[in-house]
Amino acid sequence: MKIVIPGGSGQVGAILDRAMTAAGHDVVVLTRRPMRERDVGWDGETLGHWTREIDGSDVVVNLAGRSVDCRYTAANLRAMMDSRVHSTRVVGEAIAAAARPPRVWLQMSTATVYAHRFDAPNDEATGVIGGGEPGVPDYWAYSAEIAKAWEREQERAETPHTRKVALRTAMVMSPDRGGVLDVLLRMTRLGLGGPIAGGAQYMSWIHDRDFVRAVEFLAERDDLAGPVNLAAPEPLPQRAFMRALRAAWGIRVGLPATRWMAGLGAFVLRSDTELLLKSRRVVPGRLLEAGFTFDHARWPEAADDLVKRVRGGDRVPV
């Protein structure tokens, strides 16, 4: 099977590329900086020679978009919006123009599309879409608008022969260097892995191997289209999440942090507090209804597995 991954040079793309290549598939990565034989250059905005890879492929998994691991300045937020919308648009144009279009287009989206809430989990049918919550920073609403525009661009694409799925993905936990787990483990080792702003905000996550399995599952299930949550079925409050990660690493104490301390830490890491403070309580309603089973459904066991892989050297620079 030929799989094309636009924007596949980041952390999530590397996970998918390794797994699909190991499974014997022909994987092509579209990237602005091609470095390997299987890399093909593109700019994420305009049609070019790269469209030949789309034509005749079986599956397209579009992961393109500026990283959210940055300060949420006005310029960076605009870059996030433009990179996601423009790349999705041009992928849709390439699929529409293909003589032999792929049978499925899996489009990256984000669990951030859902509202900041504590009262109930968000599934695809009953979840509350974010953007209008009272008492949250204005740029949190803009983050939700980015997610909505991202999905809307895929919906608008005229690809009648290609099934379309929007992957509303939670934080993908892998042992790779530079990924989100790497950052959280660094905080844990420094003794900083305690509750942040009380720690009641929910953290949604998915184990890297379940992420790959879910992508494979969705690629094969011709009856599934539209938004699908890629998240483990048991999100948990940040304080419990970090407690389990500390236990997996063997550290008993994690110092708590106030909201302003979290802001200072995010500034030092050149990141943003939304990633730490927004409550993302997302559950995989459609995956479970379709019969998908998670190998790593609970975070304590998933954390144990990931830590063993980190200590065993199963780490790749991102």
Side-chain angles (χ1 to χ4, degrees):
M1 186 164 65
K2 182 177 181 180
I3 302 171
V4 180
I5 310 179
S9 57
Q11 181 212 2
V12 175
I15 292 167
L16 201 56
D17 182 7
R18 289 196 304 266
M20 295 302 185
T21 300
H25 299 299
D26 176 16
V27 179
V28 174
V29 171
L30 303 185
T31 173
R32 287 179 170 83
R33 293 181 293 276
M35 300 177 64
R36 308 168 307 169
E37 184 180 351
R38 294 184 294 110
D39 293 346
V40 173
W42 81 324
D43 63 3
E45 296 184 8
T46 56
L47 297 172
H49 71 280
W50 58 267
T51 60
R52 293 195 294 265
E53 303 296 339
I54 299 281
D55 198 340
S57 66
D58 298 289
V59 180
V60 171
V61 188
N62 184 22
L63 306 177
R66 194 218 192 281
S67 172
V68 299
D69 188 17
C70 63
R71 295 293 297 164
Y72 281 15
T73 63
N76 284 340
L77 287 169
R78 172 47 60 183
M80 288 182 206
M81 174 73 85
D82 289 348
S83 63
R84 283 157 175 73
V85 170
H86 294 168
S87 60
T88 304
R89 181 180 303 150
V90 78
V91 167
E93 290 171 353
I95 293 173
R100 294 175 297 160
R103 55 184 175 80
V104 60
W105 170 13
L106 305 178
Q107 171 62 48
M108 179 60 87
S109 182
T110 173
T112 299
V113 73
Y114 292 109
H116 168 73
R117 65 190 299 208
F118 303 87
D119 57 334
N122 291 301
D123 64 14
E124 300 89 341
T126 64
V128 177
I129 300 299
E133 307 97 303
V136 301
D138 289 343
Y139 71 89
W140 286 22
Y142 190 77
S143 291
E145 291 306 314
I146 292 172
K148 287 184 274 189
W150 205 2
E151 293 188 6
R152 191 161 54 243
E153 200 63 38
Q154 187 195 29
E155 291 169 6
R156 288 174 175 170
E158 296 183 5
T159 58
H161 303 294
T162 300
R163 178 169 54 93
K164 298 184 288 189
V165 181
L167 309 175
R168 290 180 175 172
T169 308
M171 292 185 294
V172 179
M173 296 294 173
S174 81
D176 298 322
R177 296 187 185 277
V180 61
L181 180 69
D182 193 29
V183 174
L184 295 175
L185 281 175
R186 193 183 318 146
M187 294 172 60
T188 299
R189 292 193 297 268
L190 291 172
L192 303 176
I196 296 175
Q201 65 274 25
Y202 277 81
M203 295 185 69
S204 290
W205 57 278
I206 186 167
H207 188 284
D208 62 334
R209 289 174 175 165
D210 277 338
F211 171 79
V212 171
R213 292 178 57 248
V215 167
E216 293 172 331
F217 183 85
L218 291 169
E220 295 299 329
R221 285 291 296 261
D222 292 337
D223 57 326
L224 292 174
V228 177
N229 293 345
L230 268 60
E234 296 188 22
L236 65 172
Q238 184 267 343
R239 56 176 173 261
F241 183 96
M242 293 306 297
R243 186 187 308 124
L245 187 58
R246 293 198 310 270
W249 195 260
I251 293 179
R252 297 179 61 184
V253 177
L255 296 176
T258 62
R259 185 177 291 265
W260 75 264
M261 291 168 66
L264 179 61
F267 181 81
V268 171
L269 294 171
R270 302 181 65 82
S271 186
D272 203 276
T273 55
E274 185 197 35
L275 302 174
L276 302 172
L277 299 177
K278 182 172 180 178
S279 185
R280 295 171 172 83
R281 193 176 180 186
V282 180
V283 293
R286 297 191 69 195
L287 276 178
L288 294 177
E289 288 171 4
F292 181 80
T293 57
F294 285 81
D295 288 342
H296 302 277
R298 300 185 67 252
W299 175 240
E301 290 78 7
D304 286 342
D305 174 78
L306 290 162
V307 164
K308 287 177 183 175
R309 289 167 63 195
V310 168
R311 286 180 161 155
D314 186 11
R315 311 189 75 186
V316 177
V318 176

